[in-house]
Amino acid sequence: MNSRINELLEKYNAVLEISNEIENDGFCIETPNINVIIVRSGLDTEHIEQVILHELGHVEAGN
């Protein structure tokens, strides 16, 4: 995975989970202590990175 994405995950106190149990490409669960970004398994690397960046955008915006 892109090292810049790893830096952003750390900056926003986020962890990444890959799941085959979700229908959407991804979503984020925000808590006071940690943000969990869940991405659907089976996506190619580029798409996974796009989903992570999208979800981190929500974290940054606070929604």
Side-chain angles (χ1 to χ4, degrees):
M1 184 176 314
N2 183 317
S3 63
R4 180 66 179 138
I5 290 178
N6 286 328
E7 291 171 9
L8 290 170
L9 288 168
E10 186 174 320
K11 176 181 177 178
Y12 292 105
N13 195 31
V15 295
L16 176 64
E17 298 288 334
I18 305 294
S19 175
N20 62 359
E21 298 180 16
I22 62 172
E23 294 181 18
N24 296 350
D25 287 349
F27 63 94
C28 183
I29 300 170
E30 298 180 52
T31 72
N33 299 321
I34 196 163
N35 299 298
V36 180
I37 296 175
I38 302 172
V39 177
R40 183 168 50 90
S41 63
L43 303 177
D44 62 49
T45 302
E46 184 176 328
H47 196 153
I48 289 171
E49 290 177 353
Q50 289 173 351
V51 171
I52 293 168
L53 291 173
H54 174 88
E55 296 305 328
L56 286 173
H58 289 294
V59 171
E60 181 178 45
N63 59 18

